[in-house]
Amino acid sequence: MIHVRRLAPKAPRALTAALGLGLLALTASVVPALYRAMDGGAADTLTLAVALPPPPPPAAEAVAPASEWRTVRIASGQTLGSVFADLGLSPRTMHRLLEVPEAKQMASRLQVGSELAFEIGPDGELRGLRFDQDESRRIALAVTEDGVRREVIERPIERRTLVAGGTITSSLFADGARAGLSAPVMLDMVKALQYDIDFAQDLREGDSFQIVYEELWREGERLRDGGVVAVNFVNQGKHYTALRFEHEGRAEFFDLEGRPLRKSFMRTPIEFARLTSGFGARRHPILGRMRMHNGVDYAAPVGTPIFAAGDARVKFAGWQNGYGRTVILDHGNGVTTLYAHMSRLGPHRVGERVRQGQTIGYVGASGLATGPHLHYEFRVNGVHRNPLTVTMPKPEPLKGPALAEFRRATAPALAQLRRLEGTQLAAR
Ligand SMILES: [Zn+2]
């Protein structure tokens, strides 16, 4: 459910582990003082949804004999066919409905808990069926003599912007909760700043933060929290700001100058692993003679996912002598990375693009290996470098029109952060 795999360079393993064990176990320390306010200027707000009439039949049908609506919540093991049978509806009608692409898709992806509303006529025949195609779209099917009529009812999702802030006194997540912030929002904040702050070790009493985040609403009902839009964090007197901005089709966090916070490379392309062999000359564990170890080894259970260390194009995916199942990624600028001894390759083929953090394979012991581990190499212009110490190239900052757009798009959230920070300082 929660993606923590991008936790990277700064000793993230402790944090990753803590998060893995349960968010609330994270014992950084923080506290309240909390300010939470609905944003008045709804600049990012989409148009308000039109209230959707509940399933009951429209008034026009008063003329015809009344039909009855029955809502079915799908239980484990149920299929559309079994629901039809339970309601005494004919399989023929079901097959007519399934000619509608949305209905076919719904039937094939039917999930426990999803709701279907059946309109059943006094004769016991199906008159209509309603279901949600996704969060913002409801499909209404009407069974008529001429066929099945389909209507799409849009249920726009409204994004409301909220701000909250707090001061660290005991536990990051507890203090977040006191500020009205849910664990997913706090986790999103941690992800935004993970490259700069080690939340497992660096937090201090008195650290403070301000967050601008979203809530998703539909038809006047709160659906869930959205993501963090902007965050300001003062850690041991140092200011960190992360601003979300969509660039080249991907929403990412940038600093005030428009430089991506995400680093070009993860230092360790695997989670929950133990470094078992460093870079350099060593006695080969199987061959017995001194040999240069061109990479680093991480012991991990068979099947542990291995991540692309950075955005790349797949250069090789297959078997190599000694290395076993291997993936080589080309990151451009002369940098390639190699991942060996996999039990299984990921889904990507040679030539495909992968993004940092995507799973490219799974730990194994294929090739010349004494036990399951990842052998990881980092090459610059063909020369092997120590992945633990090599200077990683910095990501490119936004420039020109992209930078101008970034400044324009993030200005409102930045202003909200500043206002809240001012309020918090004044309250001290
Ligand atoms: Zn190795």
Side-chain angles (χ1 to χ4, degrees):
M1 57 147 212
I2 294 152
H3 300 274
V4 287
R5 53 158 86 143
R6 291 219 178 119
L7 295 176
K10 294 192 63 186
R13 191 148 304 117
L15 173 58
T16 315
L19 294 173
L21 295 172
L23 301 174
L24 302 172
L26 187 63
T27 44
S29 279
V30 207
V31 189
L34 303 165
Y35 306 84
R36 184 187 156 117
M38 184 83 81
D39 173 32
D44 316 335
T45 310
L46 302 179
T47 29
L48 196 66
V50 182
L52 180 73
E61 287 195 16
V63 189
S67 53
E68 184 199 345
W69 280 91
R70 295 190 58 181
T71 302
V72 175
R73 182 185 285 266
I74 300 302
S76 171
Q78 269 187 318
T79 63
L80 192 60
S82 69
V83 174
F84 265 69
D86 292 348
L87 294 173
L89 299 171
S90 88
R92 251 193 66 229
T93 314
M94 183 178 83
H95 290 294
R96 281 177 69 193
L97 290 177
L98 290 178
E99 283 166 20
V100 178
E102 286 89 349
K104 195 174 172 186
Q105 188 193 56
M106 173 273 288
S108 66
R109 296 186 194 161
L110 207 54
Q111 283 182 349
V112 172
S114 45
E115 288 189 354
L116 306 177
F118 292 83
E119 184 188 10
I120 299 169
D123 53 359
E125 295 291 333
L126 186 71
R127 295 242 177 116
L129 173 64
R130 285 185 178 198
F131 58 90
D132 291 338
Q133 186 180 22
D134 54 40
E135 222 168 44
S136 64
R137 209 173 291 190
R138 178 166 289 173
I139 304 295
L141 302 178
V143 182
T144 69
E145 279 166 19
D146 319 325
V148 178
R149 212 177 55 231
R150 161 188 157 284
E151 187 191 351
V152 179
I153 302 161
E154 299 286 347
R155 311 169 78 202
I157 292 185
E158 178 200 350
R159 291 170 182 275
R160 296 187 184 173
T161 307
L162 294 101
V163 295
T167 305
I168 303 299
T169 58
S170 64
S171 140
L172 181 61
F173 285 88
D175 289 336
R178 256 172 285 186
L181 294 166
S182 65
V185 171
M186 294 305 281
L187 187 63
D188 210 25
M189 179 192 79
V190 168
K191 279 166 68 186
L193 294 170
Q194 66 187 347
Y195 293 100
D196 295 308
I197 301 173
D198 179 349
F199 282 90
Q201 295 177 35
D202 292 350
L203 287 192
R204 295 292 180 274
E205 197 176 329
D207 284 357
S208 60
F209 60 92
Q210 296 84 37
I211 299 182
V212 179
Y213 67 104
E214 290 174 331
E215 272 185 356
L216 304 188
W217 289 65
R218 188 184 59 204
E219 293 159 11
E221 216 178 302
R222 185 184 176 282
L223 277 184
R224 56 187 162 81
D225 284 323
V228 166
V229 177
V231 55
N232 191 37
F233 204 104
V234 181
N235 175 231
Q236 303 187 33
K238 249 186 110 175
H239 279 70
Y240 299 92
T241 302
L243 302 168
R244 193 178 75 191
F245 177 60
E246 191 162 318
H247 180 55
E248 291 172 349
R250 151 162 71 172
E252 272 192 81
F253 287 98
F254 294 81
D255 68 10
L256 290 169
E257 277 70 51
R259 190 179 284 280
L261 295 182
R262 182 176 64 90
K263 299 295 182 264
S264 301
F265 289 90
M266 303 166 78
R267 191 66 77 179
T268 306
I270 184 171
E271 258 185 283
F272 306 122
R274 188 166 46 92
L275 183 74
T276 48
S277 184
F279 183 85
R282 64 159 186 184
R283 190 166 299 279
H284 192 276
I286 292 180
L287 304 177
R289 45 181 196 263
M290 287 305 283
R291 253 174 73 151
M292 179 69 187
H293 188 222
N294 286 327
V296 292
D297 293 343
Y298 293 100
V302 172
T304 303
I306 298 166
F307 309 134
D311 292 355
R313 200 173 283 282
V314 179
K315 192 178 171 191
F316 179 88
W319 189 275
Q320 285 206 354
N321 249 349
Y323 283 127
R325 280 183 205 89
T326 300
V327 169
I328 301 176
L329 300 181
D330 184 347
H331 303 276
N333 299 318
V335 177
T336 59
T337 52
L338 176 147
Y339 313 78
H341 307 308
M342 292 177 174
S343 57
R344 194 152 59 86
L345 299 173
H348 308 96
R349 303 203 175 149
V350 171
E352 271 183 44
R353 291 206 67 87
V354 291
R355 285 190 157 167
Q356 183 181 69
Q358 278 189 319
T359 298
I360 51 163
Y362 302 87
V363 169
S366 60
L368 218 49
T370 49
H373 74 283
L374 165 68
H375 168 86
Y376 174 54
E377 293 182 11
F378 194 100
R379 293 184 212 186
V380 182
N381 298 322
V383 180
H384 288 97
R385 307 291 299 274
N386 183 348
L388 299 180
T389 57
V390 66
T391 305
M392 304 288 190
K394 281 196 166 180
E396 288 293 305
L398 297 168
K399 284 187 204 115
L403 181 61
E405 174 57 20
F406 165 77
R407 295 217 183 281
R408 193 200 59 75
T410 57
L414 192 57
Q416 286 175 301
L417 287 182
R418 297 273 185 262
R419 261 202 314 274
L420 183 58
E421 191 179 21
T423 313
Q424 268 174 275
L425 287 174
R428 270 184 195 182

